[in-house]
Amino acid sequence: MVAVARRRIQVWGTVQGVGFRPFVYRLATRHGLGGWVLNHSAGVELEIEGRPGALDAFLHDLQAEAPPLARLEAVAVADVPSVGSASFEILSSHIQPGESQPVPADTAPCSDCLRELFDPSDRRYHYPFINCTNCGPRFTLIQDVPYDRERTTMAVFRMCPDCQREYDDPSDRRFHAQPNACPRCGPRLRLLDRAGQEIDGADPIVRAAQLLQEGAILAVKGLGGYHLACNAFDAQAVERLRRRKHREDKPFALMAPDLEAVDRLCCVTEAEAELLASERRPIVLLRRREPSPVAPEVAPGHRLLGLMLPYTPLHSLLLEAARSVLVMTSGNRSEEPIAYQDEDALHRLGPLADAFLVHDRAIHTRCDDSVTRVLGGQELLLRRSRGYAPRPIALRVPFAEPVLACGAELKNTFCLGKGRHALVSHHIGDLENWETLASFAEGIERFARLFDVHPTVVAYDLHPEYLSTKYALELPGVARVGVQHHHAHIASCMAEHGLEGPAIGVAFDGLGYGLDGTLWGGEFLVADYLDCTRVAHLAPMPLPGGAQAIRQPWRMAATYLHAAYGDEMEALGLDFMRRLDRGRWAVLKQMLRKGINSPPTSSLGRLFDAVAALVGVRDVANYEGQAAVELEVLADEACQERYPYTIDDGSRPLVLRVEATIRGVVDDLLNGTEPACVAAKFHNTLAEAVAALCGSIRAEHGLDRVVLGGGVFQNAFLLGRVVPRLAALDFQVYVPSQVPPNDGGIALGQAVIANARVRAGKVGKEAGPCVSAS
């Protein structure tokens, strides 16, 4: 008699909506096993019965051959009594109160679906909503878990007999593919004029492509919202889009039909090509080839272009018909959240677009495109959203209580913490208006419901005027944890790398509220998850006019010049001084002397602004970080020289002083040194200063791990010089990769710091125990 055994298997991770149950069915059938499999709120559960050798082989293949979109985090196996199962079946989903499991991100069409999309003999030929269990929309259409059709925005589309047969057949690629549909039964595409009336008499794709070729601006409904599209080679169309969108200089993203088209426009490394073609399909920043057919207005003054490949069948069809590369920018006016509901899109985008390419599959959650770049062969995320969110970040230390971290003001994301998962949201945007704040609050509510997280602890930034902070302080019935901005930057990177114990943290950004009431931004910390010590920083400078100085870099240039030269600056023969309005300078000088509306700041971002204005890059910024970005673009990669600087080590914390750096910049400019060399020498100076300060901190604290964070480290030129210098000094260097180094990663840091304080019994200390060395 052949021995028979039975095992119960629990699988946790991203295992719903990725074809995992049909995969299990086929695997069990292949190994001749009986039993069942079902989805439940926490993952997938199955029982298998058969010969012990076949059971062992099944368990091996379960993990080795999992579907491409599945992410197995844990597998538990237990022996159970045999019941004589001779066949294998898929059971209905089971909801377990209090449990949840990761929701898969939206993914680009797989190769099988693309082949069918362009096969004239296939019944889904040119159908813009083709998908299967291995690809397609997930996060943006899921309304609740477990992930079944009736809990998605596809519930209103009843499958035709052919689609139903595929859905019910375990051997079919579309078995239990929840968005499954075809032209007979699924969503329908329409082309509308700006008044919302359907344009009759033509294939919507073909007519939309014709409009783009004629210079029109098209609103296109995608996965997580609307894009505004135009021909990237048509300078007049791009300029018209800029005027309508009120977006003066910030680069537009492009969508190209394939990698070959991308390669014709940009230099593409193997790592960049892999990112472009991945199922996530992010926007990847690439070096532009010259000369370029792309209209200069797409990315004024930039050497880089942001490109992505089509990530829906609709995009693939539109790109094929348009026979061009398209601008694909978010469907909104600048500073507003992306439009994703049809009525709102027609209202808000009507004045911007000439026509609308729409469909009737509702978007449940708005989700912008992700943006990334490659540095040293590794991915550096700049915006984590579509294709990445809501994929959880696994943590070494589980949350003691459910946590909500509200993030920062700019590039906001929030984070929910439960168990060993940090659920960092999609990109929300800058919380500077009611519309974006409403999107933030709506996103938190949806995440809490989707992942069954009911926070008892809320973490927030210390800046009292941040809307995210005000939101947190108004929540009832929760413990509150205030977290210093730069501590959160460092803790975020530590958490994604699973670091324990203290490390040296280098946090460079525009500004963050400091514990002394000043605006920090050029910080060196000794930090763990519980607390941190400020051990060094950039010497504070006045920020004349407060927020005005952020928008007007000339103010910081004048401030740094005055610090380096005093009133003698007025006799300098700099181009900057000739551009400086004497009346404005007289007012600014009085502000500096009397300390009027000039809060002190140690911000490295503002130092970048100052040097950018001195070099002649930009006196006034039209978007956040513009001057620093353009200074990076200007820098000559071949230049290895640097300027002098000083470190005041007579007290604690250490202070980095750059008066000598500013004087070096001025001397070079007066002597006719190329601005590109000046920009490079400035970057090199900062890299040397970081290495020197980290060396001093190691000598005093015995730490050899350096964690980098803050928006300044989006700068590939600077990062590419800091990391090798630190490595040459035998430091272990950690750079964010799963979340951005900018404020989009703040929420993760807030969440893990709040958890550490809960575990240590220190919740309620609003400012936290981060201190300055003395």
Side-chain angles (χ1 to χ4, degrees), residues 17 111 129 324 425 428 495 509 515 600 647 656 667 688 729 743:
S111 58
F129 307 100
S324 184
S425 77
I428 302 297
D509 62 6
L515 294 173
I647 296 174
L656 170 63
D667 288 345
E688 286 290 338
L729 296 174
D743 283 5

Side-chain angles (χ1 to χ4, degrees), residues 201-351:
D203 181 314
I205 293 284
V206 172
R207 182 61 184 131
Q210 290 172 347
L211 289 172
L212 290 168
Q213 291 164 354
E214 294 166 2
I217 296 168
L218 194 67
V220 182
K221 185 178 180 181
L223 272 180
Y226 279 78
H227 282 117
L228 290 169
C230 70
N231 188 338
F233 303 147
D234 186 336
Q236 290 183 336
V238 177
E239 180 57 36
R240 191 160 54 250
L241 176 56
R242 284 204 176 278
R243 289 198 308 271
R244 293 182 185 180
K245 193 174 162 70
H246 297 205
R247 183 164 169 164
E248 294 183 54
D249 298 311
K250 196 172 184 180
F252 286 139
L254 303 179
M255 181 177 284
D258 50 41
L259 283 173
E260 289 75 16
V262 174
D263 191 58
R264 287 193 291 270
L265 301 178
C266 296
C267 303
V268 186
T269 67
E270 185 177 339
E272 289 165 342
E274 186 176 332
L275 261 181
L276 282 164
S278 71
E279 76 275 3
R280 300 184 298 278
R281 291 290 203 279
I283 297 168
V284 181
L285 300 188
L286 304 167
R287 185 174 292 276
R288 181 203 304 245
R289 292 189 188 275
E290 297 293 352
S292 173
V294 173
E297 292 80 4
V298 166
H302 281 255
R303 289 199 301 255
L304 303 179
L305 292 175
L307 276 118
M308 59 181 158
L309 296 180
Y311 59 82
T312 71
L314 170 57
H315 292 141
S316 295
L317 294 170
L318 183 61
L319 267 291
E320 181 199 43
R323 297 181 180 178
S324 184
V325 173
L326 301 180
V327 168
M328 280 283 188
T329 188
S330 55
N332 57 0
R333 290 188 188 273
S334 291
E335 314 308 327
E336 293 180 353
I338 186 173
Y340 76 109
Q341 294 176 327
D342 298 337
E343 186 175 341
D344 177 58
L346 284 166
H347 171 71
R348 286 203 284 140
L349 305 184

Side-chain angles (χ1 to χ4, degrees), residues 510-566:
L511 60 84
Y513 199 81
L515 294 173
D516 58 2
T518 66
L519 301 173
W520 293 4
E523 310 307 312
F524 294 78
L525 310 174
V526 169
D528 57 21
Y529 299 114
L530 188 61
D531 58 20
C532 69
T533 301
R534 190 189 197 196
V535 292
H537 59 84
L538 179 66
M541 282 285 161
L543 188 69
Q548 270 191 307
I550 300 172
R551 295 186 291 269
Q552 300 175 356
W554 68 266
R555 291 173 178 261
M556 291 309 300
T559 299
Y560 269 99
L561 276 180
H562 193 259
Y565 291 94

Side-chain angles (χ1 to χ4, degrees), residues 169-215:
D169 182 357
S171 66
D172 195 280
R173 198 176 84 251
R174 293 187 171 89
F175 177 63
H176 281 209
Q178 306 307 337
N180 189 31
C182 75
R184 288 178 59 193
C185 64
R188 187 172 71 91
L189 199 62
R190 295 183 299 155
L191 186 65
L192 310 179
D193 62 23
R194 57 172 46 175
Q197 298 302 307
E198 187 164 358
I199 300 174
D200 295 322
D203 181 314
I205 293 284
V206 172
R207 182 61 184 131
Q210 290 172 347
L211 289 172
L212 290 168
Q213 291 164 354
E214 294 166 2

Side-chain angles (χ1 to χ4, degrees), residues 692-751:
L693 279 164
C694 287
S696 297
I697 295 167
R698 175 168 60 186
E700 188 167 333
H701 295 273
L703 301 173
D704 61 4
R705 296 185 297 183
V706 178
V707 177
L708 306 179
V712 169
F713 285 115
Q714 296 175 118
N715 183 322
F717 193 100
L718 179 64
L719 194 59
R721 279 150 180 74
V722 167
V723 172
R725 282 169 169 80
L726 290 172
L729 296 174
D730 294 326
F731 281 105
Q732 300 172 50
V733 187
Y734 297 90
V735 179
S737 59
Q738 295 188 62
V739 295
N742 59 42
D743 283 5
I746 283 281
L748 173 60
Q750 292 174 342

Side-chain angles (χ1 to χ4, degrees), residues 638-668:
C639 178
Q640 299 298 320
E641 300 174 70
R642 67 170 179 85
Y643 296 115
Y645 61 88
T646 57
I647 296 174
D648 183 353
D649 58 1
S651 62
R652 296 293 182 272
L654 303 171
V655 178
L656 170 63
R657 299 193 179 278
V658 294
E659 290 88 346
T661 306
I662 297 297
R663 287 192 289 269
V665 168
V666 169
D667 288 345
D668 268 353

